[in-house]
Amino acid sequence: MSASLRSAILDAADAIEEAREALCLLDAASGDGDHGVTMTIGARRVRAQLEGVASDDPEVLVRAAAIGMAGAGGAIGAIYGRGLLAIAGRLREGPDAVGGAGQLELLASAIERAAVATSGLGAGPGDKTVLDALLPAAAALEATARSGGSLRDGLAAADAAAQAGADATAGLEARIGRSARHAEQSKGTIDPGAASLAIIVHALVASALGPAEG
Ligand SMILES: [Mg+2]
């Protein structure tokens, strides 16, 4: 892994800010068009939280990111706050909690916890939400771990799965949240929450893996 988690999170914050307009446009198709703004508020709050944290312990950094994202407000702030806290809680337990398994198993288990925690807010698979990008990423990590792949393999698979999951939300009708009131209009457009999650996953993975070899 070529970079620290801190710089990976900062890269993700940058990627979200760069996508602000595009995310607002996606949200405008069936919502109030503010998703890019809300996520940018979150990104800035995450940066501010990280500045206040000297430790580079992953659990501490993820907890700081959770506080930052929760402060973004709205449904998405609560979703990220809860999901990231679940990840931090799993990191605190450490790899030993899954029988001495390695980093990939720990990551797979942490992302699975995030999926469970955010599902608790009411959405399920296919409801055209952030979960439709998160669940495929979790499944990709789990499948890579089960087949004995490396952490790098798992990260690359999670990146591809999150993007494919987000893209596939274009074929879905929103069933939850504000956009469910405009379910028909939502069809044909990628869910903004799934899109932003895929952007975050891609930035985190690109930062962790470093420049492509060759
Ligand atoms: Mg909105």
Side-chain angles (χ1 to χ4, degrees), residues 71-159:
I76 200 70
I79 287 167
Y80 273 93
R82 211 158 148 166
L84 288 164
L85 278 182
I87 292 171
R90 182 64 191 83
L91 295 178
R92 176 195 286 271
E93 293 167 20
D96 290 342
V98 277
Q103 290 298 308
L104 174 59
E105 286 77 7
L106 175 59
L107 181 63
S109 157
I111 303 305
E112 171 64 26
R113 287 271 187 97
V116 170
T118 51
S119 304
L121 291 165
D127 284 345
K128 194 164 183 144
T129 70
V130 64
L131 270 183
D132 293 312
L134 182 60
L135 290 171
L141 289 169
E142 171 67 28
T144 309
R146 231 182 308 111
S147 67
S150 68
L151 179 58
R152 293 183 74 90
D153 294 338
L155 290 171
D159 181 16

Side-chain angles (χ1 to χ4, degrees), residues 1-204:
M1 300 298 105
S2 67
S4 71
L5 180 59
R6 178 184 291 270
S7 60
I9 294 171
L10 293 173
D11 283 355
D14 290 346
I16 283 296
E17 284 213 52
E18 282 160 24
R20 186 176 70 159
E21 293 308 315
L23 291 171
C24 284
L25 282 173
L26 286 179
D27 193 21
S30 59
D32 50 7
D34 67 349
H35 184 68
V37 172
T38 308
M39 290 299 291
T40 293
I41 293 169
R44 290 176 182 170
R45 284 177 173 262
V46 167
R47 277 200 209 95
Q49 286 292 328
L50 289 188
E51 277 170 25
V53 166
S55 169
D56 274 329
D57 178 87
E59 183 213 332
V60 172
L61 293 172
V62 173
R63 204 170 286 280
I67 294 164
M69 283 306 299
I76 200 70
I79 287 167
Y80 273 93
R82 211 158 148 166
L84 288 164
L85 278 182
I87 292 171
R90 182 64 191 83
L91 295 178
R92 176 195 286 271
E93 293 167 20
D96 290 342
V98 277
Q103 290 298 308
L104 174 59
E105 286 77 7
L106 175 59
L107 181 63
S109 157
I111 303 305
E112 171 64 26
R113 287 271 187 97
V116 170
T118 51
S119 304
L121 291 165
D127 284 345
K128 194 164 183 144
T129 70
V130 64
L131 270 183
D132 293 312
L134 182 60
L135 290 171
L141 289 169
E142 171 67 28
T144 309
R146 231 182 308 111
S147 67
S150 68
L151 179 58
R152 293 183 74 90
D153 294 338
L155 290 171
D159 181 16
Q163 188 60 59
D167 289 346
T169 63
L172 300 172
E173 281 184 21
R175 290 198 293 240
I176 195 162
R178 198 191 305 261
S179 53
R181 288 180 229 150
H182 310 278
E184 270 297 326
Q185 283 124 281
S186 78
K187 209 155 182 207
T189 306
I190 291 172
D191 176 65
S196 54
L197 183 82
I199 289 167
I200 290 167
V201 171
H202 183 69
L204 292 172

